[in-house]
Amino acid sequence: MTTTHPVVGALEGRTAVITGAARGAGRACALAFAAQGADLVLLDVAAPIPGVPYPMGSRSQLDHTADSCRRQGADVLVAAVDVRDLAALTELRERTHDRFGAPHVLVNNAGIVAPSGRPVHETAEADWQLMVDVDLGGAWRATKVFVPAMVERRAGTIINIASTAGLVGYRNFAGYVAAKHGLVGLTKASALDYASYGVRVNAVCPGNIRDEPAMDGRMLSEVARALDIPQAGHDELFTADQPMNTLVDPADVAAAALWLACDASRRVTGTTLTVDAGYAAR
């Protein structure tokens, strides 16, 4: 009898590459995958990005994620890599192959939510290009680098962490919305490109993710800042807009990614799995 849910050790013997792993949903995915037996390649820019008005994940946060995964028994390769740097990603692929062989799973989680907070006509060209280059171009580059070995093996899974911004519009976030809509489109097109090779490609579309201290999250705080919403009590304000009257936890995103990564979803490709407490259903 087949199963339709992850079992303990569902990723045993597999290697997963996770971008944007220093904190937030990236850290949550790393911990969930490690708990299921995966070895991990964890990367993050781990440095400021000029033009992004808030601190990026740090090397110490990335190392904390890695150490937490090692305590669960995972073998972990850590790298400070900017997903805008194709050469650095290519070098990391070689290190990955030397250490683990070809990876089985790629989670494209790296992304930024700002510079945002302006209507389209007030958006600077540099801000637009930065948003698209990180949030869409980064996933394209990582796929370009890591998918050939999956094609050769005739098996693999790519999971793109998009957003409800890939499904609906948000005022004053045109660059982010456009990039995330593009990521959903990339998911569907690449799913067709690789279906005959046994490589599955899906997207997870989270809604507002709680800034959980254990995950060092700060995405929701940055959205509030971009919208001039006071930091005090902004959780309650965002929660009131959710049909289920709750925010999404990083672990909710990780659980969706885990299901897409394992054999329980072996016939699922080219789809978007929305984890948003009902927001996009309205």
Side-chain angles (χ1 to χ4, degrees):
M1 183 177 69
T2 59
T3 61
T4 57
H5 56 84
V7 296
V8 175
L11 298 181
E12 195 74 39
R14 302 185 190 183
T15 300
V17 178
I18 303 176
T19 73
R23 62 188 185 190
R27 178 182 291 178
C29 286
L31 292 171
F33 284 29
Q36 291 297 324
D39 292 324
L40 300 167
V41 178
L42 303 180
L43 60 142
D44 198 283
V45 66
I49 294 179
V52 176
Y54 59 93
M56 303 304 297
S58 67
R59 181 59 195 243
S60 64
Q61 289 173 324
L62 181 59
D63 288 341
H64 177 75
T65 300
D67 290 342
S68 298
C69 292
R70 291 187 183 107
R71 285 194 290 271
Q72 297 192 76
D75 190 1
V76 183
L77 174 62
V78 182
V81 172
D82 189 330
V83 293
R84 297 174 296 170
D85 188 338
L86 184 60
L89 285 168
T90 302
E91 190 272 337
L92 179 60
R93 177 188 63 196
E94 301 312 309
R95 293 173 59 196
T96 298
H97 286 199
D98 289 345
R99 175 95 163 249
F100 300 111
H104 304 80
V105 181
L106 169 63
V107 181
N108 284 314
N109 171 72
I112 57 175
V113 72
S116 295
R118 297 182 177 88
V120 172
H121 72 283
E122 293 181 6
T123 301
E125 182 175 6
D127 292 348
W128 173 273
Q129 291 177 337
L130 175 60
M131 184 68 66
V132 173
D133 204 18
V134 174
D135 288 10
L136 178 56
W140 169 76
R141 290 184 194 88
T143 299
K144 178 179 177 64
V145 165
F146 287 104
V147 80
M150 296 181 183
V151 168
E152 184 175 352
R153 185 198 285 124
R154 296 297 195 269
T157 303
I158 300 168
I159 302 160
N160 295 322
I161 307 299
S163 167
T164 50
L167 305 173
V168 302
Y170 287 95
R171 181 178 58 85
N172 291 340
F173 278 81
Y176 184 72
V177 168
K180 293 298 186 177
H181 270 71
L183 187 54
V184 170
L186 176 64
T187 299
K188 293 179 181 295
S190 52
L192 295 177
D193 284 348
Y194 302 123
S196 63
Y197 299 101
V199 177
R200 301 186 295 111
V201 189
N202 294 287
V204 177
C205 290
N208 288 324
I209 301 175
R210 189 188 319 276
D211 288 341
E212 186 175 325
M215 298 296 133
D216 287 330
R218 62 170 299 131
M219 186 72 77
L220 197 59
S221 295
E222 181 53 32
V223 171
R225 186 205 62 79
L227 295 174
D228 291 326
I229 296 172
Q231 293 295 311
H234 73 267
D235 271 17
E236 289 77 8
L237 183 61
F238 284 117
T239 298
D241 209 24
Q242 310 306 309
M244 291 183 71
N245 197 37
T246 183
L247 297 175
V248 174
D249 289 324
D252 299 325
V253 181
L258 175 62
W259 182 72
L260 290 171
C262 72
D263 292 341
S265 61
R266 65 192 182 281
R267 298 291 183 265
V268 179
T269 194
T271 193
T272 57
L273 180 53
T274 307
V275 184
D276 69 346
Y279 181 86
R282 297 175 302 176

